[in-house]
Amino acid sequence: MGNSDINSEITQPVGRFAPSPTGRMHLGNIMTAVLSWLSVKSRGGRWILRIEDLDPQRSKIEYMQRIEDDLLWLGLDWDEGGLDERGLNGPYIQSRRYGYYAEALRHLQATGQTYACTCTRADILATQAPHQSDGRRVYGGRCLPVHLGGALSESEAEARRSVPHAVRLHVPQGDITFTDRLYGLQRTDLSRECGDFILCRADGAWSYQLAVVVDDAMMGVTEVVRGNDLLLSAAQQIYLYRLLGYRVPEFAHVPLVCNKDSRRLSKRDASLSMESLRRDYTPERLLGLVASLAGLCDDASPVTLTQLTETFNWQMITPAAVIII
């Protein structure tokens, strides 16, 4: 599955911003985009805009257009991607990339580490207790076949493959480690903290974990900048990178921007959406606010992208859990 071009010696950093077109962006989305853009542009790299529209019911073309307009208003132009599909590594819209995910799935199935799962959400809620630390439910292996260490006989496993089913990846015991640019050494026991995870749902929808790994690898992404709510996903994705023979990128998980109630921003926080922010701020003032929240500037004075690019350094950013606005 590995590609010689993908795994060749990398001389230029490549970053990406990969929003979901399910609503107007908010301040937290913008901070992630700005930090990702600054990180590669301060080192002469390339920046990709990829649209992650794996949820067809909620994704809309008008939101894709607004994402592009908001980024350009701030001066965050991209070298590849977007609706015009510029660049040589497209398509850059996930709904047009399903063939690549299917190929990756076939490769993973050939390893013998995947299996059919017919569990519904109700089954999982009824049979598995929440993870003590954060309430997540780790899959308990109800459909795990005997050859992978489960209790399901081979005939029972075969029967599950003959009806609509999700495809799960079996993960081994043992730690996945990596060093995050902000949060340092991370150590995750996939079997205990994540469990076997879905690659493709029973309705044919592709999982985020598989899609993002395939896309980042095929697009030559060398660093992933995103919110720290996805910190645990990095271990799952690193495992997939290795199984598929891809180079693992560097990771920088940035603090979440939260409202005054300490709840992470969502597209429902209208006062901090780009619609309101563009009404109340100039691009330079909004960049100043973002830079001050991230720790790149001492105050929220107006600043340009050029100025931020000249001084950008990851060591300036404080790895807080959240940023209250």
Side-chain angles (χ1 to χ4, degrees):
M1 189 72 190
N3 183 294
S4 59
D5 291 333
I6 292 170
N7 290 306
S8 61
E9 190 65 29
I10 295 171
T11 58
Q12 184 186 48
V14 179
R16 51 77 158 171
F17 180 56
S20 298
T22 57
R24 196 71 179 267
M25 290 192 296
H26 53 65
L27 184 61
N29 303 135
I30 292 301
M31 188 171 84
T32 299
V34 169
L35 294 178
S36 173
W37 192 94
L38 289 174
S39 181
V40 293
K41 290 301 179 179
S42 64
R43 293 174 288 139
R46 294 183 293 116
W47 197 60
I48 296 171
L49 174 60
R50 184 173 71 234
I51 304 299
E52 297 196 340
D53 61 339
L54 289 178
D55 184 344
Q57 281 73 41
R58 298 175 61 216
S59 298
K60 300 183 184 300
I61 186 66
E62 54 264 36
Y63 293 142
M64 300 183 197
Q65 294 167 336
R66 288 176 179 173
I67 286 169
E68 292 196 343
D69 186 62
D70 288 337
L71 293 174
L72 292 174
W73 178 77
L74 272 173
L76 300 176
D77 196 3
W78 49 95
D79 302 287
E80 296 180 35
L83 291 174
D84 62 359
E85 297 276 21
R86 76 179 74 155
L88 301 177
N89 297 305
Y92 295 91
I93 298 173
Q94 283 188 328
S95 58
R96 302 175 185 173
R97 299 182 56 81
Y98 289 178
Y100 295 120
Y101 309 148
E103 181 184 358
L105 180 61
R106 287 191 292 271
H107 178 90
L108 293 168
Q109 289 174 318
T111 68
Q113 296 184 62
T114 66
Y115 59 95
C117 176
T118 57
C119 292
T120 65
R121 181 174 178 80
D123 292 333
I124 295 172
L125 291 176
T127 60
Q128 291 152 226
H131 194 278
Q132 290 184 352
S133 62
D134 57 12
R136 288 178 297 105
R137 280 177 164 79
V138 176
Y139 184 65
R142 183 170 176 261
C143 290
L144 186 66
V146 65
H147 76 271
L148 289 175
L152 205 67
S153 70
E154 292 303 327
S155 61
E156 291 172 314
E158 180 63 31
R160 278 163 167 72
R161 289 193 289 271
S162 66
V163 298
H165 62 272
V167 179
R168 283 190 186 270
L169 179 67
H170 180 55
V171 298
Q173 293 182 339
D175 290 342
I176 297 288
T177 61
F178 72 98
T179 301
D180 187 82
R181 282 188 180 162
L182 264 69
Y183 296 97
L185 181 64
Q186 301 294 308
R187 190 181 302 276
T188 303
D189 183 332
L190 282 181
S191 64
R192 184 172 58 85
E193 298 182 57
C194 301
D196 296 350
F197 57 91
I198 287 177
L199 301 172
C200 184
R201 292 191 334 211
D203 62 2
W206 296 102
S207 77
Y208 166 78
Q209 308 294 5
L210 179 63
V212 72
V213 166
V214 172
D215 291 347
D216 283 342
M218 296 188 71
M219 294 175 188
V221 171
T222 65
E223 62 175 56
V224 172
V225 178
R226 59 191 181 189
N228 65 19
D229 56 323
L230 292 171
L231 195 58
L232 189 62
S233 289
Q236 295 170 292
Q237 290 163 19
I238 288 170
Y239 186 58
L240 281 173
Y241 277 109
R242 293 172 178 169
L243 285 178
L244 292 167
Y246 290 143
R247 181 191 294 270
V248 179
E250 295 185 73
F251 291 95
H253 291 83
V254 300
L256 298 181
V257 179
C258 295
N259 61 25
K260 60 184 179 181
D261 297 321
S262 297
R263 301 178 67 177
R264 57 178 293 187
L265 295 186
S266 72
K267 293 182 172 76
R268 293 184 295 273
D269 286 292
S271 64
L272 294 173
S273 76
M274 281 302 289
E275 182 176 6
S276 298
L277 293 171
R278 285 181 64 164
R279 184 182 62 239
D280 299 336
Y281 290 82
T282 65
E284 292 77 15
R285 286 189 60 222
L286 184 54
L287 286 171
L289 173 62
V290 168
S292 66
L293 291 174
L296 296 175
C297 294
D298 293 332
D299 57 46
S301 300
V303 68
T304 66
L305 280 174
T306 299
Q307 291 171 311
L308 290 174
T309 303
E310 291 172 349
T311 60
F312 179 82
N313 189 319
W314 278 107
Q315 294 182 349
M316 301 168 66
I317 300 173
T318 303
V322 297
I323 296 172
I324 306 297
I325 183 72

